[in-house]
Amino acid sequence: MATSSMHTFNPPVGVKSPYFQPLWLQQRQIRNFGLPFPLDSSYFPARTRRRPLLLKVSCQRRPGDVSVKYHRGSTNASVLECGETDNYTSQDNEFTCVMKFGGSSVASAERMREVAELICSFPEERPIIVLSAMGKTTNNLLLAGEKAVTCGASNVDGLKELDFIKNLHLRTVNELGVDSAIISRHLDELEQLLKGIAMMKELTPRTRDYLVSFGECMSTRIFAAYLNKIAVKARQYDAFDIGFITTDDFTNADILEATYPAVAKRLHDDWLNDPAIPIVTGFLGKGWRTCAVTTLGRGGSDLTATTLGKALGLREIQVWKDVDGVLTCDPNIYPGAEPVPFLTFDEAAELAYFGAQVLHPQSMRPAREANIPVRVKNSYNPMAPGTLITKDRDMSRAVLTSIVVKRNVTMLDIVSTRMLGQFGFLAKVFSIFEDLGISVDVVATSEVSISLTLDPSKLWSRELIQQELDHVVEELEKIAVVNLLQHRSIISLIGNVQRSSLILEKVFHVFRANGVNVQMISQGASKVIALGFRNLFSFSSFHFELGWD
Ligand SMILES: Nc1ncnc2c1ncn2[C@@H]1O[C@H](COP(=O)(O)OP(=O)(O)O)[C@@H](O)[C@H]1O
Ligand SMILES: N[C@@H](CC(=O)OP(=O)(O)O)C(=O)O
């Protein structure tokens, strides 16, 4: 255990880090790298300037026990009861930044050690740490749950995913030299839960969320125990216990406003009573009606991080990944993709929304609302400058920033059977999608026709099955001629829309050279131009041939 004198955030005694010395010495340089001006300049609003805006929080005396008002038909809620309140002012803010580490950053004991060293190499920071589940634990939990539905209770302990999860966590605990008792209750409960699923032969969204929560609950416990072992005082928190209040949309819940004051109060009070670095579970919340564990959608730990940043009015939100920042394209599609040094919140949100896995689509919202810079960094390569996401950036030279490619998209061409100019056609079409609960992705319209895409591969929505598609077509055919086009691709171009002609010129030049015909094009008010075409094209050559500035 940590000594009680370790109240400040100091590097661990006796820990040798490859980054330790260099980062200590070069820290200022590293953190300025990629910035157009020194960190000390007025770029980051001085804490005194920002704080009065952000840390004026109030909530009820009992942390986590906040009443919320829910508006029917809306996912927004606001704090309903003020109760007996404690008001905090800016001076109360003990923390400086959030550091979120994704699954790849904490995939093993060795990685956890490196992350601990990385955190300690910023001794002037008082961070709040957010962790995801180790490696592919979430995927394994989901797979185990799905298999449990059909495998029978007596076969649960033979599930290879359960075995993998147990081995990974016990091995990590062992290698880090911390007490395995910190996770043994979770491992037992996990097995019981899988047996329950097997007996019920059912995996509801609510149970699914509870099931995957084991991943983050264990990774944070292990990491906090390890920090304490190396004399860096840390305290583990389950987000659902400290005021992360969400809608009850299991598997894809939204953070409610009540979260901000509740979380700020809890972390603040604990720090005052007994200072320790908070290690918070990413991805998880507590449904405000059901009080059950909810999740924020795949990749939701990014959102946990930005929510904490806003709640506490921090100077910076750091999201540490396994890539050198946000890249010009998914590196799995084009390995030569390059880091994008600067992005605006809007650009990053668009990129995520259009399917770039690197950030959770909702994660930019709290950061934008509180105007807190988000830095995307590589925990495997901390010296790389990463991507800095802020409210504004110099767009004078920006043309094309990043591209997002989605394959196997379903496209629908819908042509009205009525006369030209018939009003209500669009409304009718979209009401069919609404009734069937299917989300539409990209849309292009003319007076009598609509082309749109349905994205079956969207990570945060359910899979569309053929039956559903047939049903949509059947409904639409009552008012239109429908052409269902499958196996299409969408390229979303995130760039400076002020220079859209230049972007399109470049892109169409490459398309033409490769004999690709665009079947749909859409440019809304956003920073994105979406192009749809057949699945045939080599995206690596596309990225390469674009000739990035
Ligand atoms: N434009 C992009 N820039 C960077 N990474 C991307 C992009 N598109 C997809 N990715 C993928 O996102 C991964 C990082 O996101 P994620 O897996 O959620 O990280 P973590 O689990 O560490 O939070 C990268 O390893 C990369 O494969
Ligand atoms: N573990 C969750 C939440 C998350 O954010 O993970 P990551 O940071 O590794 O993308 C998931 O896999 O979706």
Side-chain angles (χ1 to χ4, degrees):
M1 281 298 289
T3 58
S4 56
S5 61
M6 290 299 293
H7 287 176
T8 50
F9 183 53
N10 285 325
V13 180
V15 170
K16 285 213 168 73
S17 157
Y19 318 125
F20 211 52
Q21 198 57 10
L23 273 182
W24 274 57
L25 292 173
Q26 298 171 31
Q27 193 172 345
R28 190 159 294 264
Q29 196 185 329
I30 293 164
R31 309 189 90 244
N32 289 352
F33 199 96
L35 276 173
F37 23 67
L39 248 184
D40 286 343
S41 79
S42 58
Y43 175 70
F44 282 121
R47 282 164 71 184
T48 43
R49 269 176 48 210
R50 173 195 298 289
R51 286 158 136 205
L53 285 174
L54 296 172
L55 242 153
K56 190 85 179 148
V57 296
S58 67
C59 74
Q60 284 178 268
R61 274 221 176 271
R62 281 173 50 205
D65 190 3
V66 180
S67 301
V68 288
K69 183 156 75 182
Y70 192 76
H71 305 283
R72 264 184 94 77
S74 143
T75 50
N76 292 329
S78 50
V79 178
L80 179 66
E81 284 177 35
C82 291
E84 195 182 351
T85 61
D86 287 332
N87 288 325
Y88 297 126
T89 57
S90 52
Q91 289 82 345
D92 298 318
N93 201 0
E94 306 80 10
F95 304 106
T96 57
C97 70
V98 184
M99 293 180 172
K100 177 256 166 172
F101 295 90
S104 57
S105 299
V106 291
S108 63
E110 192 197 338
R111 290 299 305 151
M112 285 207 181
R113 260 192 220 108
E114 283 175 21
V115 166
E117 287 167 7
L118 182 57
I119 294 168
C120 293
S121 68
F122 294 96
E124 91 290 10
E125 297 286 11
R126 292 237 196 94
I128 298 174
I129 309 296
V130 174
L131 294 191
S132 300
M134 293 181 72
K136 299 279 173 218
T137 299
T138 308
N139 287 356
N140 278 310
L141 286 165
L142 286 170
L143 258 175
E146 270 150 32
K147 287 190 179 173
V149 175
T150 51
C151 77
S154 56
N155 293 322
V156 159
D157 46 12
L159 286 175
K160 76 170 192 299
E161 289 76 15
L162 177 61
D163 205 41
F164 182 88
I165 292 165
K166 277 185 180 172
N167 282 338
L168 172 68
H169 290 84
L170 290 172
R171 193 174 59 242
T172 305
V173 155
N174 198 17
E175 285 173 20
L176 292 176
V178 297
D179 187 354
S180 62
I182 52 168
I183 53 158
S184 47
R185 185 178 58 86
H186 286 83
L187 288 175
D188 290 346
E189 262 179 38
L190 172 61
E191 191 164 334
Q192 292 306 318
L193 176 63
L194 288 169
K195 284 188 174 151
I197 293 168
M199 274 186 241
M200 298 295 291
K201 296 186 172 43
E202 160 176 80
L203 180 58
T204 62
R206 179 175 171 152
T207 310
R208 198 182 287 259
D209 276 358
Y210 182 49
L211 175 67
V212 292
S213 73
F214 282 81
E216 272 72 10
C217 287
M218 291 194 288
S219 65
T220 45
R221 279 172 173 77
I222 297 173
F223 191 66
Y226 176 65
L227 285 183
N228 283 316
K229 187 194 156 202
I230 60 171
V232 178
K233 193 164 176 185
R235 186 179 297 117
Q236 190 275 347
Y237 291 97
D238 291 325
F240 47 80
D241 274 345
I242 60 167
F244 273 83
I245 324 237
T246 71
T247 58
D248 289 292
D249 300 312
F250 294 107
T251 76
N252 203 10
D254 255 350
I255 300 269
L256 297 181
E257 281 298 311
T259 298
Y260 299 108
V263 167
K265 176 169 167 42
R266 174 63 187 270
L267 295 182
H268 169 81
D269 284 357
D270 282 4
W271 179 274
L272 286 188
N273 291 335
D274 183 15
I277 301 175
I279 314 291
V280 184
T281 57
F283 182 49
L284 310 177
K286 179 176 184 172
W288 78 275
R289 269 179 204 272
T290 56
C291 293
V293 175
T294 54
T295 62
L296 308 175
R298 294 306 304 270
S301 304
D302 296 340
L303 178 56
T304 308
T306 53
T307 301
L308 280 163
K310 178 179 168 182
L312 288 140
L314 303 182
R315 183 170 47 73
E316 182 170 285
I317 298 158
Q318 300 172 2
V319 213
W320 292 81
K321 309 241 165 205
D322 60 349
V323 276
D324 283 349
V326 176
L327 308 178
T328 48
C329 148
D330 184 342
N332 301 305
I333 291 175
Y334 180 59
E338 307 227 336
V340 179
F342 304 105
L343 280 174
T344 62
F345 293 129
D346 289 346
E347 286 173 312
E350 302 266 18
L351 206 123
Y353 179 74
F354 279 86
Q357 259 187 48
V358 64
L359 290 168
H360 183 281
Q362 299 298 329
S363 61
M364 288 303 113
R365 196 161 30 105
R368 180 177 33 205
E369 283 163 6
N371 194 15
I372 301 175
V374 176
R375 204 181 281 273
V376 183
K377 295 273 292 175
N378 189 350
S379 70
Y380 289 77
N381 181 19
M383 304 295 276
T387 299
L388 181 67
I389 308 170
T390 51
K391 185 163 169 265
D392 298 306
R393 71 178 179 109
D394 177 10
M395 295 297 282
S396 60
R397 291 181 48 211
V399 183
L400 191 53
T401 310
S402 188
I403 55 180
V404 182
V405 179
K406 279 194 274 190
R407 283 187 251 229
N408 293 324
V409 170
T410 298
M411 202 180 279
L412 282 172
D413 279 341
I414 305 160
V415 184
S416 169
T417 44
R418 296 292 188 91
M419 303 289 290
L420 263 179
Q422 179 77 20
F423 59 83
F425 175 60
L426 288 181
K428 275 186 205 141
V429 168
F430 286 107
S431 71
I432 291 173
F433 288 107
E434 191 187 357
D435 291 347
L436 299 176
I438 292 175
S439 109
V440 169
D441 205 17
V442 179
V443 184
T445 64
S446 75
E447 198 159 5
V448 287
S449 73
I450 309 173
S451 291
L452 48 80
T453 64
L454 314 170
D455 181 5
S457 63
K458 236 184 199 164
L459 270 179
W460 4 87
S461 72
R462 66 207 165 73
E463 296 262 318
L464 280 176
I465 51 172
Q466 189 62 41
Q467 265 169 316
E468 279 179 292
L469 287 175
D470 293 344
H471 192 39
V472 180
V473 172
E474 202 178 294
E475 286 299 307
L476 289 169
E477 278 178 340
K478 292 177 184 164
I479 55 164
V481 175
V482 183
N483 197 5
L484 179 74
L485 307 164
Q486 288 181 286
H487 313 297
R488 306 291 130 156
S489 295
I490 294 280
I491 286 185
S492 303
L493 306 159
I494 290 97
N496 184 352
V497 275
Q498 304 301 325
R499 303 174 85 176
S500 59
S501 301
L502 176 57
I503 296 174
L504 287 173
E505 184 191 323
K506 280 177 170 224
V507 168
F508 277 94
H509 177 78
V510 179
F511 278 155
R512 185 155 181 264
N514 286 277
V516 175
N517 277 318
V518 171
Q519 292 176 322
M520 172 184 181
I521 172 161
S522 158
Q523 180 185 344
S526 67
K527 292 168 175 45
V528 180
I529 304 169
L531 305 167
F533 47 87
R534 277 174 192 276
N535 256 359
L536 294 170
F537 183 46
S538 151
F539 296 104
S540 353
S541 69
F542 177 68
H543 184 286
F544 178 71
E545 289 172 49
L546 274 180
W548 295 75
D549 302 306

